[in-house]
Amino acid sequence: MSAFSDHKSGDAIETTTEVGGLKSQSRGRGRSRSQRQKAWLRRIFFQALGVAWLVPAITLLVLNFKHFIVGASIGCHGERCSLNLAQPDYFAKTQRLDRLDHNALGTLQIASKVMEVWFVMVAASVVYDLAILLARHGGLPAGLFTAEAEFGDIRFLFNPELWTSPMPIQKTGTKKERTGTARLYGFSILVAILCVVVNLMGPATAVLILPTLQWIDRPAQPGPTFDRLAADAAPSSENIAFGCNASTLAQRDYSCTANLYAPTLDSWLASQAASEKQHSENQPSGVIPSISQEGSVSFTFNGTRNASVEGTVFWAPNRQTLRELSDDYLKTLQPDGDSALNNTLGALLHRPGPTIGLQIFCSTGNVSTITLADDKQIRCYTVDSPASSLAGYSECIRVGQGWSQANTHSQFSIGDSASTVGNASVNIYSTDRRNLFNSTVPLCSTILPTSQGQADGQCDWDKIFSSNLSRHPQLPTQGVMTLEFSTPDTPNNSSSDPNPNRRAFCGLAAQSKFSLYAMDMSPNTNYLNIVQQTDLNGFSNHTVTVHPDWILAGWSVRENGTVEGTRGAAEEMISSLKAALTNSSLPNLNHFTRTNLWVALQSMSMVNYASSPSSAPDATHPALRSYATIHVWAYGLESRTSLMGVTVVILGCLCVLLRTTVGLATRTKRRSGVELLLAALEHQDAGSTFAGVKDSHRHKLRFVIDPGRRGGGGVESQGIKFMPVSSGAVVVGGC
């Protein structure tokens, strides 16, 4: 029992504790009021110091959860450190800011180390207070007395004494024993958790305190919902080019596009010819596409490959989307416009929009026509042998709206300034079905390469044009547009004799998908304002039927009209056409193919689309909203390590709250390791403490600590005693 007598200030206090028949007395000298006040102030200070750790910890959590944006620099702020992407001294300023950021990152790393050491002090206090609390109420095993000093070492987790010390030496099965054992196991588990948290606190605070360079999406501007592409109908919208009007377009007159896009096509084909010359003379250089302009931005075409489809799909950026992106960019340059260019290391302007991809195959050969009815024909082309893997094949298409309303036809001519007999004729067939098969084993006798006769009644044309019978399944069989070229003096292949059935032809298969258009807004890194397209990998399942009049719009010519032979594009097309018809060698066919590819991509880039301001967006009808992505220093939780850091810091905050609660509840005077060691050395064992206990079990012996406490007169005894607790013993007095 403990007995406290009345005393005056400065009187000696005697405390008697009886545990299991053993008595211990501790005598101390009472302290003055000023000493007690200092003790209280010291306690309040250390409690406040522990709670204060929550301030930087919660600040880091808030910064990361809110994805706080620091800006272009973490080491310099204010007007003198302002950075604008359009400034001519942009690179010099970024180099200066980089040096300042390096110093700032070092300072933040030191701050994270301070937080780690600070938390270790708090965690050690928790372990100490709980250990003393357990030692004052039921006893603490000897194996856990050193937990405060050892828990910071990760190897302590693998110390058997941490997990076996709570087990009693002799089990009695009483409720009191089970409760005491559960408390000790709870203490061991808490110590293990704190061991992990303490060892991870340094990396966790470093991850959270150090901002990273991130690309941050700014809020999107409101925009309409995409409705549909207008590719399957003849051009009718004034959006295809400035200067066009609905009445002119309704007459199938597309010369209104010449003001802007005729020079574009001429320059593209001239640039292609120059790049092909570089390719032929400076091997192994490739053919590099040229750049075109739309408003205040520029662009080029893209290509993707896929193992399941032969060749490359070439993607044409949509000019309507590019014009809208250009308007977005000009708004950012206004004084009262978007500030995406300010206080950032980089900025990308984004806008989603449609894009059309093309697969193309061109060759030369003889043509044959089979008329089944007034508006139902079969048109077949042989494929000359140099045409790669399609040598020996014939290509047949269904012509006429008797097959399908989607089958349409357009015609125009290309002037030949060097010809004395006439211009080149171009017929464009948009057909619902195309088939390729080996001409040596035809499916029907009437479609042999040289056949000119009428259809055989035994031919099953629906079966012939079914997709599962394609003899070249890697090439599309539906939604194909065929361009057929002929000249009045068309020569036979490798012969000067004219051949009226000889043609050059190209098959175009179109598909559409949505792409994200992106432009680097810094003139220092993107002087030409080139727009790039993302998400083009792979192939789309959205097959597009293209009306043949879009080719007329690409050439800036009306239906049945003639492209002037003096135009650069006309001269280049006539030159490549005659070369392919005269000698269908692979180089000539490749040049002819690329020439037609540029014309087709020009046409596909002009295809407009409709949008709705009120429709709800979905997967196939996305919202057409522009937004900027800025490159800045920022906090966030994008990585797994940052999520680990948040978890560890939250556990640290709970530890601080636990320490505050336990500290206020116990109000235990903290003893140094030397004091505890001396008190243990003062313990006198009469031989009963370790009697009958194996050496391997001695760490399970429990001891009660009398650390000294306030007496009835408010005086705290100064001594500290260790008293062994025998199996089943009960604390009768003391603390």
Side-chain angles (χ1 to χ4, degrees), residues 29-108:
R29 199 68 178 166
R31 295 185 296 173
S32 65
R33 178 176 297 178
S34 62
Q35 290 176 319
R36 293 197 301 273
Q37 289 177 345
K38 290 180 180 179
W40 272 106
L41 290 175
R42 186 165 51 249
R43 183 183 302 277
I44 293 173
F45 171 76
F46 282 107
Q47 288 287 353
L49 184 64
V51 174
W53 187 86
L54 293 175
V55 175
I58 294 177
T59 300
L60 292 181
L61 293 176
V62 171
L63 290 175
N64 283 274
F65 274 111
K66 286 186 171 292
H67 299 272
F68 180 76
I69 296 175
V70 180
S73 173
I74 59 175
C76 185
H77 298 280
E79 190 65 26
R80 66 186 182 90
C81 299
S82 62
L83 184 66
N84 187 284
L85 296 180
Q87 291 175 336
D89 59 345
Y90 168 80
F91 290 111
K93 278 195 171 183
T94 54
Q95 290 176 358
R96 176 174 172 270
L97 293 180
D98 184 66
R99 291 191 295 269
L100 295 174
D101 292 342
H102 181 76
N103 295 332
L105 289 174
T107 302
L108 291 176

Side-chain angles (χ1 to χ4, degrees), residues 692-705:
V693 180
K694 297 180 180 179
D695 291 342
S696 60
H697 290 172
R698 288 190 174 188
H699 65 282
K700 299 180 182 180
L701 286 172
R702 300 178 186 180
F703 290 84
V704 169
I705 294 180

Side-chain angles (χ1 to χ4, degrees), residues 127-242:
V127 176
Y128 177 85
D129 289 343
L130 289 177
I132 294 300
L133 187 63
L134 290 172
R136 290 169 59 183
H137 299 83
L140 186 71
L144 297 179
F145 270 105
T146 59
E148 178 201 7
E150 294 185 276
F151 84 102
D153 189 345
I154 196 68
R155 293 175 297 179
F156 187 54
L157 292 176
F158 306 100
N159 187 349
E161 294 182 358
L162 174 64
W163 308 107
T164 59
S165 293
M167 299 172 59
I169 298 176
Q170 296 179 358
K171 296 183 179 180
T172 60
T174 63
K175 181 178 180 181
K176 184 177 183 63
E177 180 190 83
R178 292 195 299 271
T179 302
T181 301
R183 288 177 180 174
L184 293 175
Y185 267 117
F187 177 71
S188 294
I189 294 173
L190 178 62
V191 169
I193 293 174
L194 288 178
C195 176
V196 175
V197 173
V198 162
N199 281 276
L200 291 178
M201 186 57 69
T205 54
V207 167
L208 297 183
I209 203 173
L210 296 175
T212 57
L213 280 173
Q214 303 178 29
W215 287 98
I216 305 295
D217 292 340
R218 303 191 67 194
Q221 300 297 320
T225 300
F226 174 79
D227 186 10
R228 61 183 295 274
L229 276 172
D232 58 346
S236 60
S237 173
E238 298 175 357
N239 289 331
I240 67 171
F242 294 110

Side-chain angles (χ1 to χ4, degrees), residues 277 371 562:
K277 181 64 68 173
T371 302
T562 301

Side-chain angles (χ1 to χ4, degrees), residues 707-729:
R709 62 174 298 174
R710 295 185 183 281
V715 181
E716 186 177 288
S717 62
Q718 301 300 307
I720 178 172
K721 298 293 182 181
F722 284 84
M723 292 164 288
V725 180
S726 59
S727 178

